[in-house]
Amino acid sequence: MPRQTSFAAGELSPFLYGRTDLELFAHGARKLRNFVVTRQGAAVSRPGFKWMGNAAASSVVLLPFLHSSGESYLLELSHLKVRIFNGRTGGLVQELATPFQAGDLGEVQWAQVGSVMVLTHFRREAQELEIGSVATINPVRYAPKGNVAGGAALEAAFPSIGGNPPAMPVLIAWQPTTLFVADAAHPPREWQYKVSTLLQHNVTGEIIESLPRDITHYVSGNVSTGTTIPTAPGSAIPLPADNQLVLFADAPIYIEPGLGTTVTSPSNWTPIENLYYRGRGSLFGFIGRCATNARFADFGVEPDYETPPLRGDSPFATGEYPAAVAFFQQRRAFAGPSSRFVASAVDDWANHDEPIKNWPGQPLAATLVNRRRERIVSLVALEHLLALTDTSVWAIGRNDVPLDFDTFSSVIRVVDEVGADPLMPLVVDSAALYSRAHGRGVRALQLGQSGSFDGADISWHAEHLFRGGEQTPAASWVSSRIVSWCYQREPWGTIWAVRSDGTLLSCTRTSSTTWAWAQHDTAGDKVLSVTCLPRLEQAGGFGG
């Protein structure tokens, strides 16, 4: 018999009991219960648990929220709510409503940057959870703060003119009746106008641009001779449907602020100036700016189509929501659930407005095209941004090559042909670990020295731990899936994993190719979820 020098291979599958020819046979165990294998291969008794409180429901998911070097929070997602606990004391800090239902929890993906965590699920609107002096949760924005700030609708925000209520600007002609009447030297064109407003926050000083509004009315006056322009909102006339306007250097169109539909100005924001755009259909370009209470003159200059107005709409199809999220190269990236991939502008994470013309640093959008239909389930930011689908893994971008419109096609490729379950992947020693789709166990994917990715099944030698007991094949697969896991870096580099039947497993990487699995008993209780608070290096879980 081989000499037993360590337990570095963990608990071995019964199918390996006779494989004395394998090196791992001398380092495995028939059963390893309530022991954790260290990196050096020793088996040490598992520490006990400390009761912190009752779970909110029988279906919960725990997430870590690292706020600062001295603070961390434990997030407990349950049906339509999230409870926020102090990471040190376990005390309840706050409770917030969410759109995530009980059946969604195991597929929620997340990514944190600073004090904001983004949560996604392909059936629900993505959410931004921010923890400061108080915690707030709001739907994700896909454009700069032009739609929501301080609870007010900024797209409806226009400045107060002379103490009067703020209102929409209107078009006026350079002479009476010349806005639409053309002659041989001044043929009409189908022009349309949009206006947005720059606003500054009264406390932070932040400057933002509102979402654009269509200019839909005009008044008749004589600007050249100083005829008084009507000021009553009722004098504004709707523009004709065809918008055939006369606009030339010697026949300008003026835009008068303060007339038209009255809108509400948001609190805590001060309007600075109006930005004007001209175009037709879906193509608009910037034509100029002026003070919010000043008349703007358009002499027919060609619009700057490289500077279009904000759209503010979701980059996903109506009724579709992002399935995964990650931060990579100073961009916020969303994906799926179809093969749709979008990334924000650089250093402008809320800006997913696709430009009319691409230039460096602007938002990106693409569809991953392969020989089969794929569903993106997760994103992992490492040296590459990995997009995990239910049938394969894609690498998007590299840290040494900026991810941009002119490099996108050259830095995207399939790197593994084994798909993933919709469980948030783990990163362990620069390897991405994920639960395999349509099968049992865990796969590790790591960038090799040659620049190619090496994928390996790290649970094949302990496959019995993923069968879920003596059951029929169909029920066995359901009960063997990992539904929650976390990585506890200290003291032993332990992965804690919860099967869907409530069984708690552990795994330690003991060499570049060896992973030691073990099973843990919990006195008849089932484990619902597990997480680790990185700064405290504690694992936390709620038992049923």
Side-chain angles (χ1 to χ4, degrees):
M1 290 294 293
R3 180 187 177 192
Q4 185 82 32
T5 59
S6 77
F7 295 97
E11 185 172 319
L12 297 182
S13 165
F15 293 121
L16 296 178
Y17 285 174
R19 295 298 306 274
T20 57
D21 59 313
L22 296 179
E23 182 179 353
L24 57 77
F25 185 88
H27 302 282
R30 181 182 293 264
K31 284 190 177 182
L32 202 58
R33 294 290 189 274
N34 295 313
F35 283 91
V36 177
V37 179
T38 68
R39 295 185 180 94
Q40 295 77 21
V44 299
S45 295
R46 171 182 61 79
F49 295 105
K50 178 182 178 181
W51 183 82
M52 303 294 288
N54 293 326
S58 59
S59 295
V60 297
V61 167
L62 301 181
L63 303 178
F65 191 104
L66 177 62
H67 192 269
S68 68
S69 58
E71 290 183 272
S72 61
Y73 295 93
L74 178 69
L75 307 181
E76 181 204 38
L77 285 177
S78 60
H79 183 65
L80 299 179
K81 69 179 179 180
V82 57
R83 294 198 298 176
I84 303 170
F85 295 89
N86 184 288
R88 290 187 179 275
T89 67
L92 179 63
V93 176
Q94 199 171 339
E95 181 177 309
L96 299 170
T98 78
F100 304 116
Q101 300 184 16
D104 305 331
L105 301 179
E107 300 175 332
V108 170
Q109 304 286 306
W110 56 274
Q112 183 186 343
V113 58
S115 61
V116 175
M117 176 180 284
V118 180
L119 302 162
T120 65
H121 188 278
F122 68 92
R123 285 193 294 263
R124 313 295 171 200
E125 191 171 10
Q127 303 291 308
E128 282 186 352
L129 172 65
E130 184 171 5
I131 300 182
S133 56
V134 295
T136 59
I137 189 166
N138 294 292
V140 163
R141 296 188 311 271
Y142 297 101
K145 293 181 182 177
N147 51 354
V148 176
L154 293 187
E155 70 270 23
F158 285 90
S160 174
I161 306 300
N164 295 323
M168 285 291 295
V170 295
L171 303 183
I172 56 177
W174 68 294
Q175 288 182 355
T177 70
T178 62
L179 196 61
F180 310 105
V181 179
D183 56 37
H186 302 88
R189 295 185 66 183
E190 186 184 354
W191 287 119
Q192 297 170 313
Y193 287 86
K194 293 180 182 288
V195 58
S196 63
T197 301
L198 288 185
L199 301 103
Q200 186 170 32
H201 197 273
N202 299 336
V203 177
T204 65
E206 179 185 14
I207 296 178
I208 61 176
E209 180 182 355
S210 73
L211 294 182
R213 303 284 283 187
D214 294 327
I215 297 179
T216 59
H217 288 69
Y218 75 98
V219 295
S220 179
N222 192 331
V223 178
S224 61
T225 59
T227 299
T228 301
I229 302 300
T231 57
S235 63
I237 306 168
L239 287 164
D242 59 5
N243 277 77
Q244 294 288 330
L245 304 177
V246 174
L247 172 62
F248 292 90
D250 61 339
I253 291 177
Y254 293 85
I255 304 178
E256 181 75 12
L259 295 174
T261 305
T262 301
V263 293
T264 303
S265 181
S267 60
N268 296 322
W269 293 89
T270 300
I272 301 174
E273 59 183 349
N274 282 350
L275 308 182
Y276 292 99
Y277 302 87
R278 174 162 42 85
R280 49 191 171 271
S282 60
L283 184 63
F284 282 80
F286 179 72
I287 57 172
R289 61 209 300 167
C290 70
T292 55
N293 60 351
R295 179 181 295 157
F296 177 79
D298 181 7
F299 289 90
V301 296
E302 184 69 11
D304 178 8
Y305 294 110
E306 292 188 358
T307 308
L310 300 175
R311 291 197 316 275
D313 53 349
S314 170
F316 296 93
T318 303
E320 181 179 289
Y321 303 108
V325 60
F327 291 89
F328 182 72
Q329 292 189 357
Q330 297 299 105
R331 296 179 183 266
R332 182 181 67 180
F334 289 107
S338 62
S339 298
R340 178 77 167 167
F341 172 85
V342 300
S344 72
V346 173
D347 292 325
D348 193 1
W349 296 329
N351 183 6
H352 287 268
D353 263 4
E354 295 179 47
I356 299 299
K357 179 179 179 181
N358 289 311
W359 65 94
Q362 293 304 297
L364 299 172
T367 299
L368 308 187
V369 179
N370 202 0
R371 61 184 180 274
R372 55 195 169 193
R373 180 179 176 85
E374 296 182 87
R375 173 192 169 197
I376 299 176
V377 296
S378 299
L379 292 174
V380 184
L382 291 171
E383 178 70 19
H384 296 64
L385 179 62
L386 299 179
L388 282 65
T389 80
D390 55 356
T391 60
S392 62
V393 179
W394 295 68
I396 303 174
R398 299 199 311 266
N399 276 341
D400 59 342
V401 177
L403 183 62
D404 236 316
F405 71 96
D406 58 348
T407 62
F408 191 86
S409 61
S410 64
V411 294
I412 180 171
R413 67 190 191 280
V414 175
V415 294
D416 202 2
E417 294 286 353
V418 179
D421 262 354
L423 173 71
M424 187 72 187
L426 292 180
V427 175
V428 178
D429 299 336
S430 299
L433 273 59
Y434 62 92
S435 178
R436 291 163 42 202
H438 312 302
R440 305 183 184 98
V442 177
R443 190 167 179 83
L445 189 64
Q446 189 164 12
L447 186 65
Q449 294 183 350
S450 63
S452 61
F453 280 86
D454 300 323
D457 185 339
I458 64 172
S459 58
W460 68 273
H461 57 294
E463 52 81 30
H464 64 297
L465 296 180
F466 298 87
R467 286 206 302 263
E470 300 299 328
Q471 304 181 37
T472 61
S476 174
W477 181 85
V478 173
S479 65
S480 66
R481 292 181 58 246
I482 294 178
V483 296
S484 176
W485 59 357
C486 66
Y487 177 52
Q488 185 183 5
R489 184 175 293 105
E490 301 296 339
W492 303 305
T494 307
I495 299 167
W496 298 98
V498 179
R499 284 196 324 223
S500 52
D501 63 352
T503 300
L504 179 64
L505 306 176
S506 68
C507 178
T508 307
R509 187 174 193 175
T510 55
S511 73
S512 60
T513 59
T514 308
W515 303 73
W517 291 89
Q519 185 171 326
H520 302 269
D521 301 320
T522 51
D525 289 330
K526 293 183 177 181
V527 179
L528 302 178
S529 186
V530 65
T531 194
C532 179
L533 303 180
R535 292 293 184 184
L536 303 181
E537 297 297 352
Q538 297 175 352
F542 284 108

